[in-house]
Amino acid sequence: MIGGLFVLPKGIVKPKEGKAELTQDAARTANRDGGGPATNGSKADASSGPVSAEAGPTTSPEGPTAAAPHTAATPVQRQELNRLLGQFTKAGTSAQKAEAATLLARRYENVQRFDSAGYYYEQVAAAQPGPQALQQAADAYFQAFSFASSDERIKLLGGKARDLYTKVLAKSPDNLDAKTNLGMTYMASDNPVKGVTLLREVLAADPKNERALYDLGILAVQSNQYDKAVERFQQLVKVNPKNVNAQFYLGVTSARTGAKEQARAAFLTAKSLSADPALAASVEEELAKLK
């Protein structure tokens, strides 16, 4: 396994031991969501209905709690959320409910409560049906899925995103972003073959699709198919030579296949594309292993 070979800086995805974790990493977000103290990390905070902002993640002088380390609403933000929740509850017409739900969803996105944002975007879609609202709800749940740390939350939030993306694609079958994300939710389900099939369909429609190339590269790493991973990352850097993640992973996977010069070139390119000192340190560590 690659996990443990290097310490990746923020913004660079690191392969992990668990398949679900690696799938989430391929979703390009951190794996940190605990669901808030009110749920003990077991469910989406607002997936079953509106909740007061006071029931959300608490903070301490040190910052967010361990239960939800990426979420931290200030007292002012919590007050605003509760005010908007009151407006949503009292809304008498579909238009008023959709307006209040949209504002709530955006505010929850601002404090990285993506599951709650997804719930309120769902309310927008219910009040004013349309593919845009469905997509917003699906994207928010996908973000929450990507942050989820427990198997229960991965299953719950991945399922919510999957159901909504399926509805989006029923209305807009050519939506490749939705199909790519749908594929990644299947990778953390009981039917990962369906996920791979969807990602390949995306590439068949758009051979230069960066998301699909990246995700398939990560999935090849997951299954220890480093030759295939190299091919995907080579394709990706041809499409976008400035993709730092792709260059770094091309270096990692090339090293695993014994192509040391190719690995060295990719690592140096990745380093040249970013001013992040953590990335530079990771590159130097990997280069030292090639000598």
Side-chain angles (χ1 to χ4, degrees), residues 2-282:
I2 293 179
L5 288 181
F6 50 86
V7 178
L8 289 172
K10 182 179 180 181
I12 301 293
V13 174
K14 178 179 179 180
K16 299 181 180 179
E17 296 290 339
K19 290 184 178 180
E21 286 184 324
L22 187 53
T23 297
Q24 290 171 282
D25 273 348
R28 301 177 67 185
T29 52
N31 181 23
R32 298 175 295 175
D33 190 7
T39 63
N40 196 29
S42 64
K43 66 184 289 292
D45 290 335
S47 61
S48 58
V51 294
S52 166
E54 299 302 327
T58 59
T59 58
S60 68
E62 292 74 34
T65 64
H70 73 289
T71 62
T74 66
V76 172
Q77 288 172 324
R78 288 198 297 272
Q79 184 177 17
E80 172 70 0
L81 286 167
N82 283 332
R83 183 184 69 79
L84 291 172
L85 179 59
Q87 289 184 0
F88 175 80
T89 303
K90 296 176 182 178
T93 67
S94 294
Q96 290 173 337
K97 190 169 287 289
E99 181 180 2
T102 298
L103 289 173
L104 270 167
R106 290 173 179 170
R107 296 297 187 275
Y108 274 118
E109 284 179 320
N110 289 342
V111 295
Q112 299 185 53
R113 294 285 296 280
F114 298 113
D115 46 7
S116 296
Y119 171 80
Y120 286 107
Y121 278 131
E122 275 193 283
Q123 306 315 301
V124 176
Q128 297 180 342
Q132 181 178 356
L134 284 172
Q135 174 95 42
Q136 288 176 317
D139 287 346
Y141 277 121
F142 185 76
Q143 280 281 71
F145 156 76
S146 302
F147 277 92
S149 60
S150 70
D151 289 342
E152 189 173 0
R153 279 180 65 76
I154 290 169
K155 182 177 180 180
L156 171 71
L157 296 167
K160 289 291 295 184
R162 188 160 52 249
D163 290 345
L164 287 163
Y165 280 129
T166 299
K167 292 178 181 179
V168 170
L169 288 168
K171 296 177 179 292
S172 305
D174 295 329
N175 187 328
L176 297 185
D177 286 339
K179 182 173 282 191
T180 299
N181 287 353
L182 177 61
M184 293 310 295
T185 66
Y186 271 109
M187 295 310 303
S189 75
D190 295 330
N191 190 8
V193 174
K194 175 69 172 179
V196 173
T197 298
L198 288 167
L199 291 172
R200 287 175 176 169
E201 288 178 2
V202 171
L203 281 186
D206 177 13
K208 295 183 178 181
N209 189 286
E210 292 187 44
R211 283 287 312 284
L213 286 169
Y214 180 80
D215 290 345
L216 284 169
I218 291 295
L219 294 172
V221 172
Q222 172 183 303
S223 57
N224 296 326
Q225 299 180 77
Y226 297 110
D227 289 338
K228 288 186 177 180
V230 168
E231 291 178 10
R232 296 300 186 188
F233 293 124
Q234 283 178 326
Q235 290 175 288
L236 182 48
V237 299
K238 286 180 181 179
V239 173
N240 182 5
K242 295 184 178 181
N243 188 312
V244 180
N245 282 18
Q247 293 286 0
F248 192 91
Y249 265 116
L250 178 58
V252 170
T253 52
S254 295
R256 297 293 287 188
T257 59
K260 292 186 177 182
E261 290 307 312
Q262 179 171 279
R264 182 175 288 105
F267 282 132
L268 291 174
T269 300
K271 183 179 179 180
S272 72
L273 292 171
S274 173
D276 190 332
L279 171 62
S282 294

